[in-house]
Amino acid sequence: MHAEHIENKVDGTPRMIEGAGAWLGGVIQNDPSWIVHWDSEQIAELEAAADHFLSSGNALEDISPESFPLKKLAPFIAGALNELLAGRGFLMLRGLPVSSWSIEKAAAVYMGLGRHMGSLRSSNGKGHLLGHVRDQGVKVEAGVRFYQTNRKLDYHTDSADIVGLLCLQKAKIGGESFIASSMTLYNKMVERRPDLISAMFASYPTDRRGEVPEGRDPWFEIPIFNWHEGHLSCVYLRHYIEEAQRLYPQAPRLTPEQIEVMDEIDSILQEPGFALQMAFEPGDIQLLHNHQILHSRNDFENWPDPKLQRHLLRLWIAPPSGRPLPAYFSSRWGGVMPGDRGGILVPGTKLSVELTV
């Protein structure tokens, strides 16, 4: 099995992360600037690009900036990407008229927009470039991923630079999204528990949920906080960290200090005013920079009619302007080259787009 050498220096890591990325939910909950509304001219350009692409007969997995042309929207997309990579780390783009579009058109608009930001990555072992986040009636205990259930999700990060969620249908009750700044989390951890800093930068074995690339262990090892070339990045999936301890006796054992780190992280994330809550409306696109943002959601109750049930479409995006990452990220991300990293590829994976679950 292939083992990564992880050397994550604690020395030189700043005691405080400052700037737009270190925010508190309670401070910006009612700040309208993180919700960006499309105007009619922008929607018209997106629709025209989608019609152009769909009439070409090209497969959705081959969508490109050339086959989905957006001239007027280029500065808007560049600004959105800058806010994700160098600003607060998240955006909500509101107002796409998805109820009047076919699933093909919604997928073309969404994927075309994503391709103007970077390459699209497979978000599961089946090679799906477009993920379906909906309750498939399966149990997490069976080794599946949380997005296939109606269960509350704990705070976590995904294995790509940017994750997007487009809402097609919302739940009858619940399913709200919660996001938190992992930069503010780091600041609070250092302030409260400086004795745990080295454990925050230690390696945590994390279960791959059966999606194992060739020549790799069924778990990957990565620190929760990673300092590299002037950037602090966060990777956190506690449930999968604990599953690796339970399933793989040969995986390195967590120290008491590492467990304390996770307990402290979970405690801070639940404090009133720390996270930002947002409810999805149909046509909303939430975009998150995984290195800066932890995300979760409430459990939810669906409508009885399958056509009305909660349904989000997920994209994982690798922008060419992404930050440098340490070499050991390759164990999960398949590489660290900006624009060509992240996603899940296992033996036999063929990239595809499925429009139904």
Side-chain angles (χ1 to χ4, degrees):
M1 288 290 182
H2 185 88
E4 286 292 337
H5 174 64
I6 295 178
E7 184 182 356
N8 195 9
K9 296 184 178 65
V10 178
D11 297 339
T13 309
R15 293 290 165 176
M16 174 80 67
I17 300 293
E18 297 178 327
W23 50 264
L24 274 169
V27 175
I28 62 170
Q29 184 74 58
N30 298 314
D31 179 345
S33 65
W34 54 266
I35 301 178
V36 180
H37 296 265
W38 299 104
D39 64 35
S40 56
E41 192 177 331
Q42 291 171 328
I43 290 171
E45 188 177 18
L46 289 169
E47 290 191 295
D51 293 340
H52 172 81
F53 174 79
L54 293 170
S55 68
S56 72
N58 289 328
L60 276 164
E61 51 265 39
D62 298 325
I63 200 165
S64 66
E66 294 72 36
S67 62
F68 191 89
L70 296 175
K71 290 197 175 114
K72 292 182 187 165
L73 272 171
F76 174 88
I77 293 168
L81 199 52
N82 187 61
E83 181 65 19
L84 292 169
L85 301 182
R88 283 183 189 148
F90 72 95
L91 278 174
M92 179 76 92
L93 305 180
R94 175 156 283 173
L96 292 181
V98 291
S99 60
S100 63
W101 292 348
S102 65
I103 182 78
E104 289 84 1
K105 187 161 187 172
V109 167
Y110 185 36
M111 294 180 70
L113 198 56
R115 276 295 280 120
H116 279 269
M117 293 186 170
S119 71
L120 304 184
R121 318 304 291 179
S122 168
S123 62
N124 60 23
K126 295 173 182 171
H128 293 168
L129 296 177
L130 188 69
H132 293 266
V133 180
R134 63 187 307 175
D135 181 14
Q136 296 171 31
V138 287
K139 298 275 186 285
V140 173
E141 289 72 22
V144 301
R145 307 240 311 267
F146 275 94
Y147 70 83
Q148 299 165 306
T149 74
N150 68 344
R151 284 265 303 272
K152 178 179 185 289
L153 266 69
D154 295 326
Y155 282 96
H156 65 283
T157 57
D158 288 350
S159 299
D161 293 293
I162 291 171
V163 57
L165 289 172
L166 165 62
C167 178
L168 298 179
Q169 298 280 357
K170 61 180 183 176
K172 179 182 178 185
I173 301 168
E176 296 89 357
S177 173
F178 294 85
I179 67 170
S181 164
S182 55
M183 305 298 96
T184 306
L185 172 67
Y186 171 82
N187 290 343
K188 288 203 178 291
M189 290 286 292
V190 171
E191 178 190 332
R192 295 180 188 181
R193 294 299 305 271
D195 58 309
L196 292 178
I197 290 175
S198 61
M200 289 158 55
F201 289 88
S203 171
Y204 288 70
T206 304
D207 181 30
R208 294 184 189 271
R209 309 308 277 170
E211 297 173 325
V212 186
E214 198 161 359
R216 300 284 189 183
D217 289 316
W219 71 88
F220 61 95
E221 296 179 38
I222 207 160
I224 291 176
F225 286 101
N226 304 270
W227 178 251
H228 183 68
E229 293 188 24
H231 295 279
L232 185 71
S233 299
C234 178
V235 179
Y236 188 55
L237 306 106
R238 181 166 188 164
H239 181 75
Y240 298 169
I241 291 169
E242 292 174 337
E243 285 287 271
Q245 295 291 293
R246 182 178 72 82
L247 294 170
Y248 312 117
Q250 67 275 43
R253 298 295 93 183
L254 296 174
T255 66
E257 290 77 18
Q258 285 179 294
I259 294 167
E260 269 195 89
V261 166
M262 296 193 295
D263 288 344
E264 189 70 24
I265 283 174
D266 292 351
S267 172
I268 291 170
L269 288 169
Q270 296 306 324
E271 288 177 4
F274 190 82
L276 174 68
Q277 179 179 347
M278 57 183 80
F280 283 116
E281 295 296 329
D284 283 353
I285 297 176
Q286 180 195 68
L287 293 165
L288 308 176
H289 188 210
N290 272 302
H291 304 304
Q292 289 175 249
I293 303 290
L294 293 149
H295 61 281
S296 75
R297 70 143 197 255
N298 262 345
D299 50 17
F300 61 88
E301 180 187 332
N302 256 326
W303 299 96
D305 182 348
K307 291 194 191 71
L308 299 178
Q309 290 182 357
R310 184 181 191 269
H311 190 185
L312 308 180
L313 297 178
R314 181 182 57 218
L315 284 183
W316 281 4
I317 305 167
S321 52
R323 63 175 50 180
L325 293 175
Y328 58 76
F329 266 66
S330 293
S331 175
R332 174 62 168 175
W333 288 52
V336 293
M337 176 72 69
D340 186 22
R341 66 189 186 194
I344 299 168
L345 292 174
V346 301
T349 296
K350 184 176 184 299
L351 297 179
S352 65
V353 176
E354 301 291 332
L355 294 178
T356 56
V357 180

